[in-house]
Structures are given as structure tokens and as C-alpha cells.
Amino acid sequence: MPAAPRSAVDKALDLVEAVARAPHPPRLTDLAEEVGLHRATAYRVLLDLVRRGWVLRAGDRYLPGTAVLGMSSAAARNSLTAIARPVLAALSEETGMMVNLQVPEADRARVIDVVRPERLAMITHLMGEALPVHRFAGPLALVAALPPEARDPYLRLAEAAGHPLSGPEGLLADIERTERSGFAVEHGRNEQPVASVSRAVVPTPGAPVCALTVVGLDTEFDESRVAGLRHRLRASADELQRLLTRTTDAEEGAV
């Protein structure tokens, strides 16, 4: 008896599962071949999955989306962290600072990887924690990279926590400064001895994939040092974006 044809739900779940279990971000051809779909069909289904947040697209490669990451950070470690870990390690080595990798979730950012030098063992690494935008540089960098209409869940969480949205010290001003400069800076607001600077990785405008954050002792974040950290952080974020979006052929253009 011939097998029943796969439903649209079957095809979508097959693709989500294939993206989640891939050791490195797969391309369209890889996914179509693995799940047994025509490339054009796989591409159409992936468009809907990207729109709904189940898959992230970075160049011609696909990663687990925020909906998947919200259920299991292990999915991210199988792909995004495999690509990003060398960048984190090199940035930590260059700066002598702790470096973490964060991804956006529904109203927070989750830390999915950390490189922490021994000298900073006293600083909490927050591995696996979901961080709110009004308290940490990583979520602030990610939210500032979102279009204004996508920021509401993050703003509501901050407002519910009693954090001001308006005014010179409000969250909206922080977001505007971060959007303008490309860097989020947290300087002793939450945990007095600790400061951080973060930059989002944004392969597609309005759709940040992750953020790199450099964390260290507040005393080491003077104006001249922050300028150097920003320079290195920009280079590292650019390198990670290049790794995520590099292509070996123009597959997408053939669809």
C-alpha cells in the first residue's frame, strides 16, 4: 500500500527538525535533500517558517528560530554556537574580558554560550539565563536592531518591572542611543562592579540573529578602553556575520 502523501504540517515539521538537529547551519539544498522535498517546495515552506519565527535565515543558511530557541537552547548550541565559538574565544583572548553570545526570544535575550577567563571567575556568567532589555547590554543591542513595531514585548516587560520608558534615563532613550551608535553599553547600573558593551549581528536589516557582549570589571571600562573594545567588538561581529552568511554558490537565486 503506498504511503499517504505528506501534509503541509508534516513538511513544515520535517524542515524545523532538520534545521534543529543540523551540526552546522544548513542550506536550502541540504534541507530539501534531507527531508525529501523539491527545492521550490522546501523554499516556500521555509518562507512561512521564517515568518512565524520557527527558522532564522542568515544569507543562504538556516538556523533554529526564536520559537525553537524558546523551547530548547540545545538547538542553538548545535548550530549557531558551533560557528560562533571561535569568534567568542578570539575576542576574549584579545580583550582579556568575558564574552557571551545571546539570541533574541519573545521578550528577552538568552545567553547560549560564554567564554570567561579565569581572572573574571567572580563575575556570574549567566549561561542559559533569559535577560531583560532594561538590565543588560545584550538584549538592548538586539532590541535596538529590531524594527520599532517588534519592540513592544520587550518594552512591556521593562514597564511591568517598573523601569521608565521615557525621559533621558528611560529605555526608549537607551534604545535610540544604541540604534544610532550600533553599541549597547551597560555601565554599573545593575551590578556595580560589572560593565558590558554589546553589538548585534544583523545579516538582514531588522532581523538580528544574535549579539556578542564583552563583560568585565567596571573599573576597566574607562572611556579610552571602551573605544578599543568597541573596535574589537565590531570586527568580531562582522566576522561572525561573514561566517553566517558566506556562500559557496548562489543557490537561492536559482529558486
Side-chain angles (χ1 to χ4, degrees):
M1 182 177 179
R6 280 186 291 177
S7 68
V9 172
D10 288 329
K11 295 172 184 176
L13 290 176
D14 285 345
L15 286 166
V16 169
E17 290 171 357
V19 171
R21 66 174 172 259
H24 300 289
R27 296 172 298 181
L28 173 62
T29 296
D30 303 325
L31 290 170
E33 182 177 337
E34 180 171 349
V35 303
L37 290 175
H38 189 276
R39 288 174 71 251
T41 302
Y43 182 69
R44 287 195 298 270
V45 176
L46 284 165
L47 284 178
D48 286 335
L49 292 172
V50 170
R51 179 175 57 83
R52 293 293 299 270
W54 287 95
V55 171
L56 284 173
R57 179 177 173 181
D60 72 340
R61 296 182 182 271
Y62 295 88
L63 303 102
T66 54
V68 173
L69 298 175
M71 294 187 296
S72 173
S73 61
R77 295 191 186 98
N78 287 338
S79 52
L80 181 55
T81 56
I83 299 296
R85 171 49 80 109
V87 177
L88 268 68
L91 183 56
S92 179
E93 177 70 22
E94 290 173 4
T95 62
M97 302 284 189
M98 180 165 70
V99 179
N100 70 45
L101 180 70
Q102 299 180 35
V103 293
E105 293 192 347
D107 58 3
R108 297 172 174 84
R110 189 172 298 276
V111 179
I112 63 169
D113 200 11
V114 180
V115 175
R116 181 177 62 180
E118 187 63 32
R119 75 178 191 90
L120 296 178
M122 79 293 290
I123 298 179
T124 304
H125 55 59
L126 298 175
M127 179 67 183
E129 296 289 329
L131 311 180
V133 65
H134 59 287
R135 293 187 56 208
F136 296 91
L140 181 57
L142 290 166
V143 171
L146 291 171
E149 64 273 14
R151 297 169 181 170
D152 287 348
Y154 304 88
L155 299 179
R156 286 197 296 269
L157 182 67
E159 192 172 30
H163 190 82
L165 298 186
S166 58
E169 300 300 320
L171 181 55
L172 293 176
D174 287 340
I175 291 173
E176 183 181 354
R177 282 190 291 268
T178 301
E179 184 177 14
R180 187 169 58 249
S181 70
F183 297 92
V185 179
E186 192 61 64
H187 214 24
R189 177 187 296 173
N190 307 300
E191 197 174 345
Q192 289 300 322
V194 178
S196 56
V197 58
S198 184
R199 184 171 176 85
V201 177
V202 192
T204 302
V209 171
C210 58
L212 289 172
T213 305
V214 175
V215 184
L217 298 174
D218 186 64
T219 54
E220 298 179 314
F221 275 65
D222 56 71
E223 188 173 340
S224 61
R225 185 71 186 275
V226 170
L229 290 175
R230 286 188 181 196
H231 177 75
R232 290 183 173 87
L233 184 55
R234 182 192 296 273
S236 296
D238 288 349
E239 170 66 6
L240 180 52
Q241 181 167 314
R242 185 187 68 79
L243 291 171
L244 288 171
T245 59
R246 65 184 177 184
T247 61
T248 55
D249 52 60
E251 289 191 31
E252 301 296 349
V255 176

